[in-house]
Amino acid sequence: MLDQLTALYRALPLMLYFAWGDTKARYRRSVLGPFWLVIGTAVGVVGLSFLWSGLLKVDRTTLVPTLAIGIVVWQFIAGCVAESPSAFTRNAAVMRNLKMPYLIFPLQLMLRQLINFAHNLVVVVVVLIIFPPPLGATQILVIPGVLLLIGNLLWIIILFGMLGARFRDLEQTIGVLVPLMFFLTPILYRPEQLGVIEKFAWLNPFTYMISLVRDPIQGFAPAPFVYLISAGMLLVGWWVTFWLYGRRHSRIPFWV
């Protein structure tokens, strides 16, 4: 495992090159290129803001920042989770013909989604300029929140990538579940707006991932249990992932 981690560190520039190349290739010959991501997110935020502010009778100054941050973070989460089962299978030809650490491919997926996430943050910045939150030391908590989010998503990508290589139905299963989870995760609303059923929202692990980033940006300190459970998911998830990867990584080329 140490040899693989060392090789990954040396291959980091290559992974960045391929991640950025994948992003550019998606928008090849378009005028705005990757900024179509920003336009799509901005249109979604504006449209849903008008719709939900009318349906829920909520002030737009409160709803729009909540919705914008929630959608941008969710797109990052959903992109990582939805593509994770194919992290190895889509690179089957490379794995069969070149000797390289297999973890390059999940990390490349993570870097590509981080690039998309960085583009979409433009929408969040614009919304926060129009609807500024109360500024304070609480905003610093967004740094550990983002690190916990990335750490949890990375083990999910690696674990689901191995399971998806072994069980091909996993990709279709997650493809069906991710759109459903959009409505079951407090993205268009905050958990406290659910009233008596708020506790059920915290049964969803994605709720913690959203809160880790959105609450500090809006000037609210997440509850201590949000950090405790997120750190617990990080430790348990990486332990399971390393255990499974250590036992089965040599079989991945045969699975794909």
Side-chain angles (χ1 to χ4, degrees), residues 51-108:
L51 175 63
W52 282 90
S53 61
L55 290 176
L56 301 178
K57 308 300 180 183
V58 178
D59 185 17
R60 287 196 180 97
T61 59
T62 302
L63 176 66
V64 176
T66 298
L67 193 147
I69 300 169
I71 286 180
V72 169
V73 176
W74 172 255
Q75 287 180 340
F76 177 46
I77 295 171
C80 291
V81 174
E83 294 189 36
S84 59
S86 60
F88 294 115
T89 55
R90 68 166 51 188
N91 297 286
V94 178
M95 295 177 66
R96 292 170 184 160
N97 293 281
L98 295 178
K99 184 179 181 181
M100 60 176 57
Y102 302 144
L103 292 180
I104 281 180
F105 306 111
L107 286 173
Q108 180 182 332

Side-chain angles (χ1 to χ4, degrees), residues 1 103 151-152 154-162 233-249:
M1 198 66 197
L103 292 180
N152 275 306
L154 189 53
W155 70 256
I156 289 174
I157 293 174
I158 298 172
L159 181 62
F160 282 14
M162 288 188 291
M233 289 192 297
L234 184 73
L235 294 174
V236 174
W238 274 110
W239 182 84
V240 172
T241 301
F242 275 130
W243 175 79
L244 185 61
Y245 185 82
R247 291 175 59 89
R248 294 290 186 266
H249 74 278

Side-chain angles (χ1 to χ4, degrees), residues 32 40 42 70 75 85 88 90 99 101 111 140 143 153 161 164 195 213 239 241 252 254-255:
L32 298 178
Q75 287 180 340
F88 294 115
R90 68 166 51 188
K99 184 179 181 181
L111 290 173
I140 300 176
I143 297 175
L153 288 176
V213 180
W239 182 84
T241 301
I252 295 177
F254 300 97
W255 291 342

